[in-house]
Amino acid sequence: MNPSPRIPGFRFLHSPGPTRVPDEVVHAMSRQPMDLADPRVDALIDVCEHGLKKLLQTERATVFMYSANGHGAWEAVIANLVAPGQMVLVAGTGHFSESWALQAEALGSRVVRTPCVEGTPINAAAVEAALRDDVRHEIVAVFAVHTDTASGLTSDLQAVRAAIDAAAHPALFVVDVVASLGAAPFDMDAVGANVVLGASQKGLMVPPGLAFVAVDEAAMAVARGNPTSRFYWDWTLRKSALGYRKFCGTPPLNLLMGLEAALGLISQEGLAAVWLRHQRLAGAVHAAVQCWSEGGAVQFFCRVPQARSVSVTTVLTGPGVDPEAIRSVARERFQVAMAGGLGPIAGRVFRIGHLGDINPAMILGCLAGVEAAMSVLGVPYGPGGIERAIASLVQD
Ligand SMILES: *Cc1c(COP(=O)(O)O)cnc(C)c1O
């Protein structure tokens, strides 16, 4: 068989994860692993733990990292906090909240869900009502996905915190920042989250395979009292000064080298500047999609403009417009790789990722590639999306 032909230039990666890995991170990861007694191992783990805490804006939480993906971090949270038969409340946002709920059920939790209304963020009033209904305080934790990557929307975490407080419910507040950390503003301590979880391959710009949780004292106390059998995920076992214990075995050294480099890049640029860059680039994507939608064939999946994510834009296609065809022409002919729909919205949307190591030229190239693909397929999109994207970037 012929090897696949070389792609001249490079293919634009606009999946919302894995995202593009900066050269500095690739180079950092190409170093040799060290033996575990080498003091550089502990120093590396230390830098990553401190960098993550800084990024999460927490002084009070302990960071645990895993050789795992985001689903591993979900499992860590469930295994440590929820004994089989106990209850969690999952705030509906879309495919990711539902997948987390199903994973909790598979591990024996009882799950209360607030309704998931397509294209809308967390309904904080529904969270408050569900907590008030739980008069016996059986709900151990509220699980909230900050940015639902399938729906392309970001929820207001302060409103969820306020709902828990208004219900005077003792449930822990657990937040998934897999798709928002390093892209959208987030402050663990200010938002009063007890546990936060994330993964390497989205806003953190590191290849997949490294997950983490940040856990405060209240959540550690719940974990200590939880009799569920567990070992690999166990926070109390991992709370140690020894690297080997922290990772329940060999740490994923090269991913940690990559994370160290990525955290360095974020810190060099400045967190506020990173957030502003994401907001500007998302603004350009939203301007183009708004323009395209005027042709009637495509529209925003997220129906609440303020909730549109700075990480990913989900575009809903109308009858007779196949999002998979748009993706495949964009990728194969124009070298723009986007993501498709997940769960119940598979085959109805395409998703443009715009987080991580991205600049205006890349966004304009991506949008032009998508427009070109829609032209090839005769999709009646409102013309002038690129001009609107440029106007949005110029005015910022
Ligand atoms: C990607 C993602 C996950 C799952 O992460 P994996 O690494 O694919 O297991 C969980 N939550 C959110 C919000 C995500 O975007």
Side-chain angles (χ1 to χ4, degrees):
M1 247 181 62
N2 284 334
S4 44
R6 175 179 181 273
I7 300 165
F10 56 87
R11 178 170 281 173
F12 282 45
L13 180 57
H14 287 277
S15 143
T19 63
R20 201 186 119 76
V21 178
D23 291 343
E24 289 87 342
V25 175
V26 172
H27 293 153
M29 292 184 67
S30 71
R31 286 174 303 182
Q32 291 293 333
M34 300 81 96
D35 90 271
L36 297 187
D38 189 318
R40 288 176 299 173
V41 172
D42 285 345
L44 176 62
I45 294 171
D46 199 58
V47 169
C48 290
E49 285 175 352
H50 279 92
L52 284 173
K53 282 181 70 165
K54 200 169 144 212
L55 193 56
L56 293 163
Q57 314 221 60
T58 181
E59 303 275 338
R60 55 192 178 82
T62 306
V63 168
F64 301 105
M65 293 180 279
Y66 295 93
S67 293
N69 59 17
H71 283 73
W74 279 351
E75 186 124 348
V77 164
I78 299 161
N80 280 281
L81 296 180
V82 196
Q86 286 190 327
M87 216 163 9
V88 293
L89 172 66
V90 178
T93 53
H95 175 73
F96 281 92
S97 65
E98 184 52 25
S99 302
W100 197 1
L102 291 173
Q103 194 167 331
E105 284 173 339
L107 292 167
S109 315
R110 287 183 294 149
V111 176
V112 181
R113 294 162 167 82
T114 60
C116 183
V117 180
E118 263 194 20
T120 67
I122 292 174
N123 179 341
V127 171
E128 183 180 334
L131 291 174
R132 284 188 191 278
D133 281 349
D134 177 35
V135 288
R136 285 158 52 196
H137 288 176
E138 288 185 273
I139 294 171
V140 178
V142 174
F143 288 179
V145 176
H146 188 203
T147 293
D148 193 302
T149 326
S151 310
L153 56 80
T154 299
S155 291
D156 177 355
L157 296 173
Q158 284 293 357
V160 179
R161 178 72 257 175
I164 299 171
D165 294 343
H169 197 291
L172 298 170
F173 185 25
V174 181
V175 181
D176 169 339
V177 296
V178 175
S180 53
L181 191 64
F186 176 76
D187 184 326
M188 177 173 181
D189 289 355
V191 87
N194 302 102
V195 180
V196 173
L197 67 95
S200 53
Q201 78 274 21
K202 299 186 182 178
L204 290 182
M205 311 176 286
V206 176
L210 188 68
F212 64 87
V213 293
V215 183
D216 79 352
E217 248 326 298
M220 280 304 286
V222 170
R224 278 192 294 271
N226 175 6
T228 311
S229 323
R230 59 191 187 275
F231 193 87
Y232 183 76
W233 304 113
D234 196 306
W235 296 335
T236 49
L237 292 177
R238 282 176 179 248
K239 196 155 183 173
S240 164
L242 303 171
Y244 197 74
R245 291 259 167 80
K246 285 182 179 184
F247 282 86
C248 189
T250 310
L253 293 169
N254 294 65
L255 283 166
L256 293 171
M257 293 172 193
L259 181 61
E260 178 185 31
L263 290 168
L265 293 178
I266 292 172
S267 152
Q268 250 173 44
E269 185 177 349
L271 195 47
V274 169
W275 291 341
L276 185 60
R277 173 167 57 82
H278 280 83
Q279 192 190 317
R280 286 183 169 148
L281 297 178
V285 176
H286 296 162
V289 173
Q290 176 61 41
C291 178
W292 296 340
S293 74
E294 289 157 18
V298 299
Q299 64 185 90
F300 284 106
F301 180 76
C302 178
R303 298 185 207 153
V304 181
Q306 326 72 277
R308 284 175 199 153
S309 160
V310 298
S311 301
V312 52
T313 299
T314 303
V315 182
L316 181 65
T317 59
V321 179
D322 177 8
E324 291 306 309
I326 297 173
R327 279 181 73 203
S328 122
V329 173
R331 182 179 59 242
E332 300 307 325
R333 199 157 152 191
F334 299 107
Q335 303 304 336
V336 173
M338 298 184 287
L342 296 172
I345 57 173
R348 291 168 54 207
V349 304
F350 63 86
R351 295 180 298 143
I352 304 171
H354 35 84
L355 79 165
D357 191 37
I358 297 203
N359 65 37
M362 293 158 83
I363 282 296
L364 291 172
C366 160
L367 293 170
V370 178
E371 248 195 57
M374 291 195 292
S375 295
V376 166
L377 293 163
V379 175
Y381 62 86
I386 307 309
E387 285 80 353
R388 295 251 202 118
I390 292 170
S392 153
L393 289 168
V394 167
Q395 135 215 318
D396 262 343

